[in-house]
Amino acid sequence: MVGEGVRKVITVRFFAGARAAAGVTEEQLPAGQDLTQLIKELGAAHGDALSRVLLSASFLVDGLAWHDRRAPLPSGATVDVLPPFAGG
């Protein structure tokens, strides 16, 4: 069947302090979750430092601000994790 064997994933990209806390620039995770679930999974995988960053981070999904943390993330999406930035 067409499409079988194609793994449905989302790509998570970490920026600035989120990248430092995660220890990676990006990773791929299975699709089919919402942002709340993703945040829990990332915190469990990367520890307390990233969990603290995620509390105040903003999230872009395919370049758009994602405010509804319960809305399902689309398969194939790119999620950018943006911690608060200092400066101006």
Side-chain angles (χ1 to χ4, degrees), residues 35 58-61 64-71:
L35 193 54
S58 297
F59 300 90
L60 302 179
V61 178
L64 301 173
W66 199 261
H67 300 291
D68 184 355
R69 293 186 176 209
R70 292 286 182 195

Side-chain angles (χ1 to χ4, degrees), residues 6-61:
V6 175
R7 201 168 125 214
K8 297 184 180 198
V9 298
I10 57 172
T11 300
V12 180
R13 299 188 305 185
F14 300 96
F15 293 88
R19 179 175 39 227
V24 296
T25 301
E26 72 176 47
E27 65 183 279
Q28 291 190 330
L29 296 168
Q33 56 190 325
D34 62 30
L35 193 54
T36 298
Q37 294 165 320
L38 178 65
I39 290 168
K40 287 179 185 176
E41 184 175 338
L42 291 172
H46 295 284
D48 290 340
L50 183 60
S51 291
R52 285 190 297 277
V53 171
L54 294 173
L55 289 174
S56 58
S58 297
F59 300 90
L60 302 179
V61 178

Side-chain angles (χ1 to χ4, degrees), residues 84-88:
F85 292 93

